Amino acid sequence: MALTMAIIGFGKSANRYHIPYIKERDIKIKYIYNHRRHREKEQGFYDADTIFTDKLDQVLNDSEVQLITICTPPATHFEYGKLVLEHGKNVLIEKPFVANQDEAKELFALAQSKKLLAMPYQNRRFDSDYLTLKKVIELGYVGKLLSLESHFDKYRPDDRLHEGSQVDGQFYGLGVHMLDQILGLFGKPQTVSYDIRAIQNPASTVDDFYETQLFYDNFKATVVSNPLAARPYPRFLLHGTNGTYVKYDIDQQENDLKLGIMPGDSNFGIDTPSQFGVVKYKNQNGDWIEKQIPTINGDYGRVYDSIVKTLANRDAKLVSDEQALWNMEILEAGIAEKGPHLYNLK
């Protein structure tokens, strides 16, 4: 089906993580709403038929618009999401979806009552490194899974005092993606442990470091983001009863987008062979085998492909309401208590 949509917000999120992928698909962006127009950015937009507006009612009351994507600051997500649903439009909301479970439940209930789609934008389900990890697991290289470490580290010193809501920290901003990847693979954990801190300036109220462990039946997944990692740690480190898989280097889509290399360009988002992950495992003869696993190409636009299938064919949503609520529960429990702590999921 051809999809007609609108975007609320015209900042980095819309221009980097949505529009470049939408323009490669049979999707029409009829409107882009921003409460403050940036006319210099609007010049030369790829689709001359797109209407830029600072009148939200114009967007909400247009019967042609089927989907609205919200790319605004997190504090506005619930308000805009509810407004969009009340006007009979499907809604896709950038991360973090909303601030808490109660807001998420209200949006999902409203969407269900109106037979509409409401979903968080979890584009990192289509990271190349994550897609390749899924393939390694599906093929059974490492046997029964024992542990997985997922790191998103960098070296970005910043000892300034950062003040704000804990929802504005790294845990909500990036952890929401890393947790979703784990939930998408393994479902709901039994117990979660937390170490969430501001390590560069402990007086800050906004975290910049987290290490969260999700415990399952004889399996543990750990997600970590460290802003002062001067040497690279594996993006994924997977251990099983039959071997180990190691992948360095993050998905390359974001790096290419920052350089102005866009989806549709040759070699966009592609790993070189030196960036491939390596698996070491025992074969049926008991011999140790070590080999590279070519990286599967990522494509954040597949989120929109999934939405089209859901709206056209009633396929299951890419991110189920249940998964989104588990994610919100884990995030909320993480910031509810200071210092290292455990939380048992309901």
Side-chain angles (χ1 to χ4, degrees), residues 223-240:
V223 298
V224 181
S225 181
N226 185 338
L228 294 177
R231 287 182 62 86
Y233 196 88
R235 173 67 183 93
F236 288 114
L237 177 59
L238 177 68
H239 293 299

Side-chain angles (χ1 to χ4, degrees), residues 5 32 52 69 83 98-99 101 110 118 128 138 143 149 161 180 183 193 223 239 250 256 262 307 316 320 327 340:
M5 64 170 292
I32 294 178
F52 289 89
T69 293
L83 196 61
V98 286
Q101 291 178 82
L110 179 59
S128 60
E138 289 167 5
E149 293 184 48
L161 177 66
D180 175 72
L183 297 173
S193 73
V223 298
H239 293 299
I250 63 171
D256 283 354
M262 293 290 136
I307 288 175
S320 70
N327 202 332

Side-chain angles (χ1 to χ4, degrees), residues 252-309:
Q252 295 301 306
Q253 292 178 83
E254 185 171 10
N255 289 335
D256 283 354
L257 290 165
K258 288 177 180 178
L259 290 172
I261 303 170
M262 293 290 136
D265 292 344
S266 61
N267 297 322
F268 171 77
I270 294 176
D271 273 5
T272 62
S274 65
Q275 296 170 309
F276 291 170
V278 175
V279 63
K280 183 175 181 178
Y281 67 99
K282 276 189 176 181
N283 66 13
Q284 292 180 338
N285 295 327
D287 302 319
W288 282 107
I289 306 296
E290 185 169 319
K291 67 178 181 180
Q292 287 185 313
I293 304 296
T295 305
I296 297 171
N297 292 346
D299 181 359
Y300 295 157
R302 288 173 60 185
V303 175
Y304 283 95
D305 296 338
S306 77
I307 288 175
V308 169
K309 290 178 182 178

Side-chain angles (χ1 to χ4, degrees), residues 129-230:
D129 46 33
Y130 179 66
L131 293 172
T132 309
L133 172 73
K134 287 178 65 177
K135 189 67 173 180
V136 168
I137 293 173
E138 289 167 5
L139 292 174
Y141 278 116
V142 302
K144 181 178 173 57
L145 304 184
L146 299 174
S147 67
L148 171 66
E149 293 184 48
S150 170
H151 279 249
F152 212 106
D153 301 326
K154 57 195 173 189
Y155 186 73
R156 193 174 295 171
D158 179 8
D159 61 2
R160 293 173 297 170
L161 177 66
H162 292 276
E163 296 183 306
S165 166
Q166 288 178 291
V167 175
D168 298 320
Q170 186 80 342
F171 186 51
Y172 259 73
L174 178 59
V176 66
H177 281 314
M178 298 180 74
L179 291 170
D180 175 72
Q181 290 183 335
I182 301 301
L183 297 173
L185 277 172
F186 305 112
K188 182 181 179 181
Q190 299 156 352
T191 303
V192 182
S193 73
Y194 300 93
D195 179 6
I196 303 171
R197 292 177 279 150
I199 64 172
Q200 301 194 74
N201 187 332
S204 295
T205 58
V206 177
D207 68 83
D208 61 4
F209 168 92
Y210 58 83
E211 179 174 330
T212 306
Q213 297 177 318
L214 292 79
F215 294 90
Y216 296 84
D217 185 17
N218 201 33
F219 173 75
K220 178 179 71 175
T222 303
V223 298
V224 181
S225 181
N226 185 338
L228 294 177

